[in-house]
Amino acid sequence: MAANREGQEENKDRYFKLVHGNKTLLQSEKLYEYILETSVYPREPQCLKEIRELTYKHPLSPMMTSPDEAQFLSMLLKLINAKNTMEIGVFTGYSLLATALAIPDDGKILALDITKEHYEKGLPIIQKAGVAHKIDFREGPALALLDQLIQDEKYHGTFDFVFVDADKDNYVNYHKRLIELVKVGGVIGYDNTLWGGTVVAPPDADLDEYFLYLRDFVQELNKALAVDPRIEICQLSIADGVTLCRRIG
């Protein structure tokens, strides 16, 4: 019995670290550090490093996109020549700044977040980087803001790329709206789609109620995306799981 309890606690700690610690599903911390130190940090722009280090001091720092994921998103944006983009869930603006640096000087990012409080902490760094003019920040519930966009047909099929890292219990609701706003050939990226590995945890797993509650919504999204004929999907194990959806119809 003692060994079983120890195993449960070990799993609980592992899931907690995956969701709220270093965002990686790699089994080796040393391997993850190797990736960061060899390929990510040496190429990270100084402004991104500044906002990352600033965010690490924030009590909600685990909400930040991981550095390797930000590097991946930057590469993806360049590969698809994204110009008109959207981000749902901004926090201090780390991934937002990575996007702003990756798109052309006349590119645009519609940034949606329930509060501007955290974004204002990173805004001076974004301004210093000379890319604040690309960002249109809208404060408020994202669903309501998306509904406003949908009411105006000029926004339909106009976004090249959308990145969602927000309230997991609304991911399916976001998808229902975003599929109308992203263009055919455009990409929607959903963050945290493996939710620290808890998507495969047994129903009776000894996990925090918060993990379990949101795990159900993440699983619901994954099932919905898998059968949506309007998109092609690719689920990646980078960071905490990222699912890319390319609209095809």
Side-chain angles (χ1 to χ4, degrees):
M1 292 292 291
N4 185 48
R5 283 198 300 270
E6 289 176 2
Q8 288 179 338
E9 287 301 315
E10 182 179 341
N11 282 335
K12 191 171 183 179
D13 288 344
R14 180 166 63 88
Y15 289 130
F16 183 88
K17 289 176 181 177
L18 285 170
V19 175
H20 292 295
N22 278 339
K23 288 189 177 180
T24 178
L25 292 168
L26 291 174
Q27 295 298 306
S28 168
E29 286 286 337
K30 288 185 177 180
L31 183 56
Y32 183 56
E33 288 298 325
Y34 174 82
I35 293 171
L36 294 178
E37 296 294 342
T38 303
S39 303
V40 180
Y41 292 156
R43 290 179 172 268
E44 185 180 44
Q46 179 62 29
C47 55
L48 270 181
K49 179 181 179 181
E50 289 178 16
I51 202 168
R52 173 171 57 83
E53 292 180 342
L54 172 74
T55 307
Y56 279 155
K57 300 174 184 177
H58 194 288
L60 298 175
S61 62
M63 289 172 55
M64 182 181 69
T65 299
S66 67
D68 52 326
E69 182 181 2
Q71 184 187 60
F72 166 74
L73 293 174
S74 176
M75 176 74 78
L76 176 64
L77 287 161
K78 294 172 183 176
L79 287 172
I80 66 174
N81 296 313
K83 186 174 181 180
N84 189 34
T85 71
M86 184 192 308
E87 181 163 327
I88 302 177
V90 173
F91 192 37
T92 59
Y94 180 68
S95 59
L96 183 65
L97 177 55
T99 299
L101 293 169
I103 62 176
D105 191 60
D106 60 345
K108 297 296 179 185
I109 312 167
L110 180 59
L112 312 181
D113 203 295
I114 191 68
T115 176
K116 200 173 185 178
E117 177 186 357
H118 307 306
Y119 172 59
E120 288 179 337
K121 296 183 183 303
L123 183 56
I125 298 173
I126 293 173
Q127 291 171 332
K128 186 173 68 172
V131 293
H133 66 282
K134 302 180 186 181
I135 300 169
D136 177 9
F137 185 94
R138 309 270 185 98
E139 184 177 19
L143 287 177
L145 293 168
L146 291 175
D147 284 339
Q148 291 177 16
L149 294 178
I150 290 174
Q151 289 173 10
D152 191 338
E153 290 191 1
K154 75 177 183 181
Y155 292 109
H156 288 205
T158 59
F159 288 89
D160 303 310
F161 180 79
V162 182
F163 182 57
V164 185
D165 184 9
D167 42 330
K168 315 308 170 198
D169 45 353
N170 269 319
Y171 266 26
V172 169
N173 292 323
Y174 289 142
H175 186 68
K176 291 176 181 177
R177 291 157 173 80
L178 292 174
I179 199 67
E180 295 188 41
L181 297 172
V182 72
K183 71 178 186 180
V184 174
V187 176
I188 306 171
Y190 293 100
D191 201 16
N192 309 116
T193 57
L194 295 176
W195 199 230
T198 62
V199 290
V200 295
D204 60 348
D206 184 20
L207 298 173
D208 186 278
E209 290 183 7
Y210 168 76
F211 295 164
L212 290 175
Y213 171 73
L214 293 182
R215 186 270 305 269
D216 292 343
F217 290 103
V218 172
Q219 289 177 324
E220 180 186 7
L221 172 78
N222 291 336
K223 291 176 182 178
L225 297 181
V227 297
D228 189 339
R230 300 166 296 180
I231 58 174
E232 295 175 329
I233 68 169
C234 178
Q235 189 167 32
L236 305 171
S237 57
I238 189 172
D240 190 30
V242 182
T243 299
L244 300 180
C245 309
R246 178 176 176 267
R247 183 182 173 187
I248 57 175

